[in-house]
Amino acid sequence: MLGLKNVNAYVEGKGFIKTDIAIDGGKISAIADKVVDLELIKVDENAIVVPGFIDEHIHGAFGADAMDGSVKALSDIANAVASEGTTGFLATTMTQSPENIKNALSAVKEYIESNCENGAEVIGVHLEGPFISPKHVGAQPLEYVATPSKETMKKYVEYSGGNVKIVSLAPEVEGAEELIKYLRENGIVASIAHTGAKYKDCENAIKWGMTNVTHTYNAQSGLHHRDVGVVGSALLFDELSCELICDLIHVSAPAIKLVVKNKKSDKVILITDAMRAKHLPDGESELGGQLVIVKNGEARLVDGTLAGSVLKMNNAVKNVVESVGLSLETAIEFATANPAKNLGIYDKVGSIKEGKRADFAILNKDTFEVLATIRNGKIIYKK
């Protein structure tokens, strides 16, 4: 039986403990002292074992993008993010032509149905756009912004093989109410995004079924004392989970602290929102047909607009600990349990517990460097 021997592991309900972890059939079969007859996965003495990270919002990595609409692109992303300790992610689309979105969703369907064991798991799709506000496109191409449509959404769900997990949209746009209600009825997370929504718009959207805020602070109405907008609503409403790009570029350390101070601990979710330039050297890249310049860890359009990130998930966790001052345990929850709960898969992944999937990130406890990543009991990355 495969397993880890005498490791410092972050175990659900117990915190960090020295223990053995046995793996059988891709699942955690035992967490106990002195489990016998283990075929050991060797772990450095300076390592910690934490649940595999879950990135619910990532567009691409290593030169590939979910909008490339190919199984190879998804495979390249899956293998790249495994080196960050990520064991599962949502392939995130963007505002584009209906044909390009269809191709991207169809590729995800094909990839998931192939049951690929290499790299991180493609859990499903985060559909970011095209149902956004034309006044808050950010790095999304304006020409493809579309009116919210339940009928169009049904087609997108079908193309994906039923694998759409999150839809980011602007709740103030005409047609949003019907779409949000449809998403709620079908178990899909509706997320506030690329929007000029006011407090009342957010309040209404929550009543319709909205439960998430996409990359909090970015491409949305800010906090103002006469109308608190999306940012203020994100802080006020317990119903809303908040995604955060903790690269200290999209969001400053004090802004992260403000969210953490005002939200319940299970409502903060680390994301990378990374684009294809991640894991590549600085230089020119591309996002949705737009030229992106990557320099010193920042990805921007030619006009200076931030265009996603090149953030790695293990570095997001590191930033939350070292620059924001949160505990390691809290940072881990933000990258594991919280996204799993948001996606309704916490019964299977998101923590180290007997019966759950053997998904682990093995990190250097001092540098946060990923030493190995394990999914389904199989090593998918080793330094």
Side-chain angles (χ1 to χ4, degrees):
M1 186 162 51
L2 197 63
L4 301 161
K5 194 78 174 173
N6 196 33
V7 292
N8 190 19
Y10 185 62
V11 176
E12 182 180 335
K14 296 181 180 180
F16 278 103
I17 61 171
K18 277 284 188 180
T19 188
D20 296 351
I21 302 174
I23 302 167
D24 190 16
K27 294 186 177 182
I28 301 168
S29 58
I31 302 172
D33 293 335
K34 299 179 181 178
V35 178
V36 296
D37 298 327
L38 286 183
E39 181 186 341
L40 297 183
I41 299 171
K42 292 184 179 180
V43 175
D44 189 282
E45 289 182 3
N46 204 39
I48 55 175
V49 179
V50 305
F53 301 139
I54 300 169
D55 193 349
E56 70 172 37
H57 189 152
I58 172 173
H59 296 271
F62 199 59
D65 190 291
M67 289 305 300
D68 291 345
S70 74
V71 166
K72 183 184 183 304
L74 295 169
S75 178
D76 288 346
I77 298 167
N79 284 295
V81 300
S83 69
E84 304 168 21
T86 296
T87 53
F89 67 98
L90 295 187
T92 305
T93 62
M94 66 179 296
T95 298
Q96 259 293 338
S97 69
E99 186 65 24
N100 285 345
I101 293 174
K102 177 184 178 180
N103 291 340
L105 298 177
S106 298
V108 170
K109 177 179 183 291
E110 183 180 351
Y111 187 85
I112 290 175
E113 289 177 351
S114 73
N115 294 312
C116 182
E117 295 182 357
N118 298 323
E121 176 192 15
V122 177
I123 298 169
V125 173
H126 182 152
L127 192 80
E128 186 181 12
F131 311 122
I132 60 176
S133 167
K135 297 179 182 178
H136 297 269
V137 293
Q140 309 260 349
L142 177 62
E143 63 192 290
Y144 295 119
V145 171
T147 302
S149 165
K150 183 172 78 170
E151 295 308 312
T152 299
M153 192 66 237
K154 285 180 178 179
K155 292 178 182 178
Y156 287 161
V157 170
E158 180 183 351
Y159 298 149
S160 76
N163 288 305
V164 175
K165 305 299 181 183
I166 299 179
V167 175
S168 289
L169 71 152
E172 77 276 19
V173 176
E174 185 179 352
E177 177 179 356
E178 183 182 37
L179 180 54
I180 293 168
K181 288 179 177 178
Y182 166 81
L183 296 173
R184 179 187 62 191
E185 291 165 2
N186 288 274
I188 300 171
V189 175
S191 190
I192 302 173
H194 291 271
T195 171
K198 298 184 181 299
Y199 170 82
K200 193 64 181 177
D201 298 317
C202 296
E203 184 180 44
N204 288 335
I206 290 166
K207 291 176 182 176
W208 302 333
M210 201 154 235
T211 59
N212 202 61
V213 181
T214 298
H215 45 51
T216 306
Y217 291 111
N218 294 106
Q220 57 196 230
S221 49
L223 179 65
H224 189 276
H225 58 283
R226 293 195 184 91
D227 193 296
V228 299
V230 173
V231 172
S233 298
L235 301 177
L236 276 175
F237 288 106
D238 290 341
E239 294 93 336
L240 296 174
S241 293
C242 291
E243 295 181 355
L244 283 169
I245 310 170
C246 292
D247 58 358
L248 308 179
I249 298 166
H250 283 77
V251 188
S252 68
I256 297 168
K257 290 179 182 179
L258 184 62
V259 170
V260 172
K261 187 173 183 177
N262 283 276
K263 299 301 295 184
K264 292 182 177 180
S265 62
D266 65 346
K267 293 293 187 178
V268 180
I269 297 170
L270 299 187
I271 62 167
T272 66
D273 194 16
M275 44 91 70
R276 71 169 77 243
K278 177 161 71 164
H279 291 282
L280 295 178
D282 283 0
E284 292 187 357
S285 188
E286 178 273 346
L287 181 69
Q290 304 164 105
L291 177 65
V292 175
I293 308 298
V294 181
K295 185 178 181 181
N296 299 325
E298 297 186 21
R300 294 182 181 272
L301 300 182
V302 175
D303 66 4
T305 302
L306 280 169
S309 84
V310 290
L311 178 66
K312 298 171 183 176
M313 187 58 88
N314 59 309
N315 288 334
V317 173
K318 179 181 182 180
N319 289 341
V320 168
V321 174
E322 295 186 351
S323 298
V324 181
L326 300 184
S327 69
L328 174 59
E329 291 86 348
T330 298
I332 292 167
E333 294 281 320
F334 287 179
T336 60
N338 292 1
K341 290 173 182 176
N342 195 40
L343 298 172
I345 55 176
Y346 189 59
D347 59 326
K348 300 180 183 68
V349 295
S351 68
I352 297 176
K353 181 182 179 181
E354 289 182 7
K356 286 195 173 184
R357 214 166 70 184
D359 288 2
F360 311 118
I362 302 175
L363 312 174
N364 180 297
K365 68 179 182 180
D366 299 319
T367 66
F368 295 84
E369 181 183 18
V370 178
L371 305 176
T373 307
I374 297 170
R375 174 167 76 92
N376 274 338
K378 177 184 176 182
I379 297 173
I380 57 171
Y381 169 79
K382 191 170 183 179
K383 181 176 176 294

